Amino acid sequence: MKNLIFIGMPAVGKSTVGVVVAKRLGMEFIDTDLLIQKQEGRLLREIIADVGEDGFLAIENQVNCQVNAERAVISPGGSVVYCEEAMKHFKEIGTVVYLKASYQTIKKRIRNPKKRGVVLREGQTFRNLYDERVPYFEKYADITVCEDGCRIEETIENVLNAVKKRRKKRRKRKKLDKGAPPKLK
């Protein structure tokens, strides 16, 4: 099995859901924000304060492009979708899972975006950021799991079911490509 890469806004549960999904599937878990902090020797918000948004995105792109994993659930930061090379790399090494939540759901979960290491440009609101990122998440997603109104356990089950369903579809397609007759139900 290839990797699963979770994308979505901050506070959708990429790390929380990712850890449990990794355990349930017997996979490794990688949080790329932690890899960035380790490489840079400081917190995300400190990096952003020192090098600005563009500098941070360059670091984020470099770190995510270098993730070399097999059978891992990978949780990059929400801004990774601005990093074209990193997203191309992730699409090559795995299945991209978009954890989707409405703005209202995320706003309830996140009190202070800056403290979370969220990159906001001068004068940009969190709502603007949400509206800007959603098309990127949709563009890169192989699987979308909506978690509005779901408890964390339900989101985890929905992710596992969506992954299982996608695998079945792919196996079926491979058999058809090889000329094997499809199984009748």
Side-chain angles (χ1 to χ4, degrees), residues 78-93:
S79 56
V80 75
V81 291
Y82 298 127
C83 305
E84 213 171 301
E85 293 166 308
M87 289 310 300
K88 182 177 184 283
H89 172 65
F90 284 145
K91 294 286 279 182
E92 288 168 1
I93 67 166

Side-chain angles (χ1 to χ4, degrees), residues 98-113:
Y98 169 29
L99 294 181
K100 179 181 179 177
S102 69
Y103 175 74
Q104 291 73 19
T105 297
I106 292 168
K107 193 69 182 136
K108 272 186 215 160
R109 294 179 186 174
I110 196 167
R111 303 274 187 281
N112 187 337

